[in-house]
Amino acid sequence: MKNYQDELVIKSITNIAKDVYEMVLVGPGVKYISAPGQFINMKINNSLQPYLRRPMSISDYDDNSLTTVFKVVGQGTEILKNKEIGSTIDCLIGLGNGFSIQDLASVVLIGGGLGTPPLYKLGKELASMGVKVTTVLGFASKEDVFYVDKFKEFSKVYIATNDGTMGQKGNVLDVIKHENITFDYYYTCGPERMLDALVEAYPDFGELSFEARMGCGFGACMGCSCKTKTSPYKRICVEGPVLLAKEVIVNG
Amino acid sequence: MANLQVNLPGLNMKNPVIPASGTFGFGYEFSKFYDINVLGSMMLKGTTLEARFGNPLPRIAEGPSGMLNAIGLQNPGVYAVMEKELVQLSKVYDDKVIANVAGSCFEDYVECAKIISRHPMIGALEINISCPNVKAGGIQFGTDPQMAATLTKAIKEVSQVPVYIKLSPNVTDIVAMAKAIEEAGADGITMINTLIGMRFDLKTGKPIIANKTGGYSGPAIFPVALRMVYQVSQAVSIPVIGMGGISSGADAIEMMMAGASAVAVGCQNLVDPYACPTIIEEMNQILDDMGIENIQDIVKKSHQY
Ligand SMILES: Cc1cc2nc3c(=O)[nH]c(=O)nc-3n(C[C@H](O)[C@H](O)[C@H](O)COP(=O)(O)OP(=O)(O)OC[C@H]3O[C@@H](n4cnc5c(N)ncnc54)[C@H](O)[C@@H]3O)c2cc1C
Ligand SMILES: Cc1cc2nc3c(=O)[nH]c(=O)nc-3n(C[C@H](O)[C@H](O)[C@H](O)COP(=O)(O)O)c2cc1C
Ligand code: FES
C-alpha cells in the first residue's frame, strides 16, 4: 500500500436498482478518508483500456471498509459490475474536500439520482450529533429509486420522480416547496441542472457536490477546473467536489 | 545498480526521468504521494505572461490506450508561478526544474521566458511552440520552421538558462523543424507534444470535448513518438528529450535506444501518480538484467540500424 492508494478487496456487489450497483471494498487504505463527500478514483483493470481511472463517491465508510454505489453507463462501469468477489481494485482513496460537518439545528439533504450516495454517511453523522435531518431524493422513475430505507434510519424522506411513478411527480425543488420543508442549511449532490436550480433558489447557505470529467482526480492536470466567485478557478477534484452555494457561478 | 546519471544543458540529473509538462502541475501535489526528490527533474505546467483560465469543460476524453485533453494552458501567470507555485515547490524539491513557457504572441513568449529564466530554481526552459489547444499563438510557431527559428533566436538572447524547444508531431516534416531550431541556437529539443484528435458522443452526435478537438497522448502514441525521436536525433547534434506514451521502464529504455538523452512521462502520471518512481526502479532492474552498467550505453543504440 502506498500513500492514498491501496488495492482494495471487493467484498460484495449488489444490484440495488435498474443498472445501479452497491459495492463494498475493504482494506487498510480506507483510513485515508477524512470526510463524507470525498471520493475514490479506481483503476478499473490492469490493462490500458479503459485508460483513465473512474471517480466514484463514497456512500459509507468505517475504519476498514467503504461502500460505493455506481450506475452502469459505459465501458468502465460495465466491467466493474462483473468483477469477481475477492478480487482487488487499485484505488486512490480520500480525494477531494468533502462536506463540512456543522452543528446546525436543521438541514436538508437533497440527492438527485446517483448524487444520493455521498449524502448517506453525511446524514448519519449529522443525525448522530443531534441535527434534525430531512431528506429529499429525486429519481427519473420508480425503477431507479434506491437507498430510501437507509435514509429513513435517521431522517424523514421525501421522494420525487419525474414521471410520478413513486413519491411526488416532479423534481426535488417542487417537493421542497410543496411540502414547505424548512431548513438552516442544505447539502446536495446530483445532476448539474439540479444544482444550478438549487443555487438560484437558495444562493446563501448550502454546499453542493459537483462532477467533472477527470484526468487525474488529484490536482495534476487541470482537467476539472471551474470558475467560482471566490477565486479565478477551483479544481473539482481538490478544492471540490464540494463548493459553497455562495461561490457557485450558475451555468459557469 | 546501474548508473542512471545524465547531464543535459543546465541540468545534472540523477536519472533521466522527468514528468512532462501539464501532467505534474507545479510538482508539489505529488509530494503527498512520494518524495519527489527521486526524480531527475520536472517540467512545470505551461506558463504564460498573463494568467489564463483555459478552455471550457469538458476538457478530457478518452481513447483506446490514451486520452484527449484540451486544457488550454490554464495557469496563474508567470509572476504568480514564481511568487506562489515555485515557493511552494521549493519546500519539497531541492533540484533544478524546467519551466515550460507558452504565449499568445511573439512578444509574450520572449517576455515570459526572460522573466522566469532568472528564477534560481529554473535550470532550463522548455518552449512550447506546439500546444494544439489554444487559438492564438502556439501552434503556428510550431509548424513553420522559419518562425520557430526566429522565436528560438529571440528567446536565446534573453534567457539566463539553456533553451529547449518542444516540437509538435502535427507537422509534415519534423526533421526540418528540428534542424531549423538547432541552427537558431537551441540547446535541446523536447518531443513530442500531443497529436490532434477528436471524440464524439454517440447519443448526441456532439464532440465530447467543449473545444471540439484535443491533444491525444498516452501509450497509443508511443510508436509515433519513437519514430519521430529516432528521425530527429539522427539529424541533429543537440540532445533530444523523448516523450509520448511512456508508461514503463521498458518504454523509457526503448525511447533512449531510439536516440533520446532523457525521457519525459506525461499522462501516465495521471493514471498512476507513482508512475515516475516506478519507471526509475524498472529501468534499474532492466539494465541490471541486461548487464549494462551505464545508461549512456544504450542511447542511440538504434542508430546503427
Ligand atoms: C467526483 C465524482 C464522483 C462520482 N461519483 C459517482 C458515483 O458515486 N456513482 C456513479 O455511478 N457515478 C459517479 N460519478 C460518475 C462516474 O465517474 C462515471 O459515471 C463513470 O466514470 C463512467 O465510466 P464508464 O467507463 O462507465 O463510462 P464512459 O462513458 O465509457 O466513460 C468515458 C469517460 O468519461 C468519463 N465520464 C463519464 N461519465 C462521467 C460523469 N458523469 N462524470 C465524470 N466523468 C464521467 C469517464 O470517467 C471516462 O473518463 C462520479 C464522478 C465524479 C467526478
Ligand atoms: C493534461 C495534459 C496537459 C498538458 N499540458 C501541457 C502544457 O501545458 N505544456 C506542454 O508543453 N505540454 C503539455 N502537455 C503535453 C505533454 O507534456 C506531453 O508532451 C504529451 O502528453 C505526450 O506525452 P505522454 O503521451 O506521455 O502524455 C499536456 C498533456 C496532457 C495530457
Ligand atoms: S482531474 Fe486532474 S486536476 Fe482535477
Side-chain angles (χ1 to χ4, degrees), chain A residues 221, chain B residues 20-23 45-46 67 69 71 73 100 126 128 166 192-194 217-218 221 243-246 265-267 270:
Chain A
C221 70
Chain B
S21 179
T23 64
K45 173 73 195 149
M67 66 179 278
N69 90 81
I71 309 298
L73 292 177
N100 181 278
E126 177 184 51
N128 178 9
K166 184 164 183 178
I192 57 177
N193 210 318
T194 52
S217 60
I221 72 165
M243 73 189 100
I246 294 174
V265 178
C267 51
L270 310 181

Short mmCIF file of all heavy atoms in Angstrom, two decimals, chain A residues 221, chain B residues 20-23 45-46 67 69 71 73 100 126 128 166 192-194 217-218 221 243-246 265-267 270, ligand 2:
data_model
loop_
_atom_site.label_atom_id
_atom_site.label_comp_id
_atom_site.label_asym_id
_atom_site.label_seq_id
_atom_site.Cartn_x
_atom_site.Cartn_y
_atom_site.Cartn_z
N CYS A 221 -3.75 17.79 -13.50
CA CYS A 221 -3.95 18.02 -14.94
C CYS A 221 -4.78 19.25 -15.28
O CYS A 221 -4.78 19.69 -16.41
CB CYS A 221 -4.60 16.79 -15.58
SG CYS A 221 -6.32 16.51 -15.11
N ALA B 20 6.35 15.12 -17.56
CA ALA B 20 6.13 16.05 -18.66
C ALA B 20 5.19 17.18 -18.26
O ALA B 20 4.34 17.03 -17.40
CB ALA B 20 5.55 15.30 -19.86
N SER B 21 5.38 18.29 -18.93
CA SER B 21 4.61 19.50 -18.63
C SER B 21 3.10 19.25 -18.75
O SER B 21 2.63 18.61 -19.68
CB SER B 21 5.01 20.60 -19.61
OG SER B 21 4.26 21.75 -19.34
N GLY B 22 2.37 19.79 -17.79
CA GLY B 22 0.91 19.73 -17.84
C GLY B 22 0.34 18.49 -17.18
O GLY B 22 -0.86 18.38 -16.98
N THR B 23 1.22 17.55 -16.84
CA THR B 23 0.73 16.32 -16.22
C THR B 23 1.27 16.17 -14.80
O THR B 23 1.15 15.13 -14.19
CB THR B 23 1.15 15.08 -17.03
OG1 THR B 23 2.58 15.00 -17.01
CG2 THR B 23 0.68 15.18 -18.46
N LYS B 45 4.06 23.01 -15.33
CA LYS B 45 2.86 23.32 -16.12
C LYS B 45 3.13 24.54 -17.00
O LYS B 45 3.77 25.50 -16.55
CB LYS B 45 1.70 23.62 -15.13
CG LYS B 45 0.43 24.12 -15.78
CD LYS B 45 -0.31 23.04 -16.52
CE LYS B 45 -1.36 23.63 -17.46
NZ LYS B 45 -1.57 22.80 -18.66
N GLY B 46 2.65 24.50 -18.23
CA GLY B 46 2.83 25.60 -19.18
C GLY B 46 2.50 26.95 -18.55
O GLY B 46 1.44 27.12 -17.96
N MET B 67 -5.55 9.37 -23.86
CA MET B 67 -6.56 10.37 -23.53
C MET B 67 -6.40 11.61 -24.39
O MET B 67 -5.32 11.88 -24.92
CB MET B 67 -6.45 10.77 -22.06
CG MET B 67 -5.15 11.49 -21.74
SD MET B 67 -5.04 11.99 -20.00
CE MET B 67 -5.97 13.52 -20.02
N ASN B 69 -6.86 15.77 -24.31
CA ASN B 69 -7.06 16.89 -23.40
C ASN B 69 -7.09 18.19 -24.17
O ASN B 69 -6.45 18.33 -25.21
CB ASN B 69 -5.96 16.92 -22.32
CG ASN B 69 -4.76 17.74 -22.75
OD1 ASN B 69 -4.77 18.97 -22.65
ND2 ASN B 69 -3.74 17.07 -23.26
N ILE B 71 -6.89 21.41 -22.22
CA ILE B 71 -6.86 22.25 -21.02
C ILE B 71 -6.80 23.72 -21.43
O ILE B 71 -7.45 24.57 -20.83
CB ILE B 71 -5.63 21.91 -20.13
CG1 ILE B 71 -5.55 20.40 -19.85
CG2 ILE B 71 -5.66 22.71 -18.83
CD1 ILE B 71 -6.69 19.79 -19.11
N LEU B 73 -3.94 25.61 -21.58
CA LEU B 73 -2.87 26.34 -20.86
C LEU B 73 -3.35 27.12 -19.65
O LEU B 73 -2.91 28.24 -19.41
CB LEU B 73 -2.13 27.27 -21.83
CG LEU B 73 -1.31 26.57 -22.91
CD1 LEU B 73 -0.69 27.60 -23.86
CD2 LEU B 73 -0.21 25.71 -22.31
N ASN B 100 8.17 25.47 -18.43
CA ASN B 100 7.54 25.32 -19.74
C ASN B 100 6.84 26.64 -20.08
O ASN B 100 5.96 27.09 -19.35
CB ASN B 100 6.55 24.15 -19.68
CG ASN B 100 5.85 23.89 -21.00
OD1 ASN B 100 4.88 24.56 -21.34
ND2 ASN B 100 6.34 22.92 -21.74
N GLU B 126 11.73 25.13 -21.42
CA GLU B 126 11.16 24.33 -22.50
C GLU B 126 10.12 25.23 -23.16
O GLU B 126 9.17 25.66 -22.50
CB GLU B 126 10.50 23.07 -21.92
CG GLU B 126 9.82 22.23 -22.98
CD GLU B 126 9.06 21.03 -22.41
OE1 GLU B 126 8.26 21.19 -21.46
OE2 GLU B 126 9.28 19.92 -22.92
N ASN B 128 7.12 25.83 -25.42
CA ASN B 128 6.02 25.07 -26.02
C ASN B 128 5.48 25.80 -27.24
O ASN B 128 4.61 26.64 -27.13
CB ASN B 128 4.92 24.87 -24.95
CG ASN B 128 3.72 24.14 -25.50
OD1 ASN B 128 3.74 23.62 -26.61
ND2 ASN B 128 2.65 24.11 -24.73
N LYS B 166 10.09 22.62 -27.71
CA LYS B 166 9.23 21.43 -27.73
C LYS B 166 8.50 21.32 -29.07
O LYS B 166 7.74 22.21 -29.44
CB LYS B 166 8.21 21.50 -26.59
CG LYS B 166 7.35 20.25 -26.49
CD LYS B 166 6.65 20.18 -25.17
CE LYS B 166 5.84 18.92 -25.03
NZ LYS B 166 5.20 18.83 -23.71
N ILE B 192 7.54 14.28 -28.10
CA ILE B 192 6.62 15.07 -28.87
C ILE B 192 5.48 15.60 -27.99
O ILE B 192 5.20 15.04 -26.93
CB ILE B 192 5.99 14.22 -30.02
CG1 ILE B 192 5.29 12.98 -29.48
CG2 ILE B 192 6.99 13.91 -31.07
CD1 ILE B 192 4.57 12.13 -30.51
N ASN B 193 4.88 16.67 -28.47
CA ASN B 193 3.64 17.12 -27.85
C ASN B 193 2.50 16.22 -28.35
O ASN B 193 2.74 15.22 -29.03
CB ASN B 193 3.40 18.59 -28.22
CG ASN B 193 2.62 19.31 -27.12
OD1 ASN B 193 1.68 18.76 -26.56
ND2 ASN B 193 3.02 20.53 -26.83
N THR B 194 1.28 16.56 -28.01
CA THR B 194 0.14 15.68 -28.32
C THR B 194 -0.27 15.75 -29.80
O THR B 194 0.00 16.73 -30.49
CB THR B 194 -1.07 16.09 -27.47
OG1 THR B 194 -1.28 17.49 -27.64
CG2 THR B 194 -0.83 15.81 -26.01
N SER B 217 -2.70 11.75 -26.27
CA SER B 217 -1.41 11.25 -25.78
C SER B 217 -1.64 9.99 -24.97
O SER B 217 -2.78 9.57 -24.76
CB SER B 217 -0.69 12.32 -24.95
OG SER B 217 -1.45 12.70 -23.84
N GLY B 218 -0.56 9.37 -24.52
CA GLY B 218 -0.68 8.10 -23.82
C GLY B 218 -0.08 6.98 -24.65
O GLY B 218 0.43 7.22 -25.76
N ILE B 221 0.23 6.58 -28.54
CA ILE B 221 1.07 7.36 -29.47
C ILE B 221 2.56 6.96 -29.39
O ILE B 221 3.40 7.54 -30.07
CB ILE B 221 0.94 8.89 -29.24
CG1 ILE B 221 1.63 9.35 -27.94
CG2 ILE B 221 -0.53 9.31 -29.24
CD1 ILE B 221 1.83 10.87 -27.86
N MET B 243 9.48 11.94 -25.39
CA MET B 243 8.24 11.64 -24.65
C MET B 243 7.13 11.32 -25.63
O MET B 243 7.22 11.59 -26.82
CB MET B 243 7.86 12.80 -23.74
CG MET B 243 7.32 14.00 -24.45
SD MET B 243 7.14 15.41 -23.34
CE MET B 243 8.61 16.33 -23.75
N GLY B 244 6.05 10.75 -25.07
CA GLY B 244 4.92 10.33 -25.88
C GLY B 244 4.63 8.88 -25.57
O GLY B 244 5.28 7.99 -26.10
N GLY B 245 3.72 8.65 -24.66
CA GLY B 245 3.24 7.30 -24.40
C GLY B 245 4.12 6.44 -23.51
O GLY B 245 3.87 5.24 -23.39
N ILE B 246 5.11 7.02 -22.87
CA ILE B 246 5.95 6.19 -21.99
C ILE B 246 5.17 5.81 -20.73
O ILE B 246 4.66 6.67 -20.03
CB ILE B 246 7.26 6.93 -21.62
CG1 ILE B 246 8.10 7.12 -22.88
CG2 ILE B 246 8.03 6.18 -20.54
CD1 ILE B 246 9.35 7.95 -22.69
N VAL B 265 7.67 11.72 -18.93
CA VAL B 265 6.48 10.87 -18.76
C VAL B 265 5.28 11.78 -18.57
O VAL B 265 5.26 12.61 -17.67
CB VAL B 265 6.65 9.96 -17.52
CG1 VAL B 265 5.40 9.12 -17.30
CG2 VAL B 265 7.89 9.09 -17.66
N GLY B 266 4.29 11.65 -19.46
CA GLY B 266 3.13 12.54 -19.42
C GLY B 266 1.95 11.93 -18.74
O GLY B 266 1.93 11.73 -17.52
N CYS B 267 0.93 11.56 -19.51
CA CYS B 267 -0.34 11.25 -18.87
C CYS B 267 -0.32 9.97 -18.03
O CYS B 267 -1.25 9.75 -17.26
CB CYS B 267 -1.52 11.32 -19.82
SG CYS B 267 -1.35 10.44 -21.31
N LEU B 270 -1.07 10.72 -14.56
CA LEU B 270 -2.46 10.99 -14.17
C LEU B 270 -3.16 9.68 -13.80
O LEU B 270 -3.99 9.63 -12.91
CB LEU B 270 -3.22 11.68 -15.30
CG LEU B 270 -2.54 12.90 -15.91
CD1 LEU B 270 -3.43 13.50 -17.01
CD2 LEU B 270 -2.24 13.96 -14.86
C1 LIG C 2 -3.48 17.06 -19.36
C2 LIG C 2 -2.29 17.43 -20.19
C3 LIG C 2 -1.80 18.75 -20.16
C4 LIG C 2 -0.70 19.12 -20.90
N1 LIG C 2 -0.23 20.40 -20.82
C5 LIG C 2 0.91 20.74 -21.47
C6 LIG C 2 1.48 22.04 -21.30
O1 LIG C 2 0.99 22.89 -20.53
N2 LIG C 2 2.62 22.33 -21.99
C7 LIG C 2 3.21 21.42 -22.82
O2 LIG C 2 4.26 21.73 -23.41
N3 LIG C 2 2.69 20.18 -22.98
C8 LIG C 2 1.56 19.82 -22.33
N4 LIG C 2 1.06 18.54 -22.47
C9 LIG C 2 1.75 17.57 -23.36
C10 LIG C 2 2.67 16.64 -22.55
O3 LIG C 2 3.67 17.35 -21.88
C11 LIG C 2 3.32 15.58 -23.45
O4 LIG C 2 4.09 16.22 -24.43
C12 LIG C 2 2.31 14.69 -24.16
O5 LIG C 2 1.21 14.41 -23.32
C13 LIG C 2 2.91 13.37 -24.67
O6 LIG C 2 3.40 12.57 -23.62
P1 LIG C 2 2.52 11.36 -22.94
O7 LIG C 2 1.99 10.53 -24.05
O8 LIG C 2 3.49 10.67 -22.06
O9 LIG C 2 1.41 12.03 -22.20
C14 LIG C 2 -0.06 18.15 -21.74
C15 LIG C 2 -0.54 16.84 -21.77
C16 LIG C 2 -1.63 16.46 -21.01
C17 LIG C 2 -2.12 15.04 -21.05
#
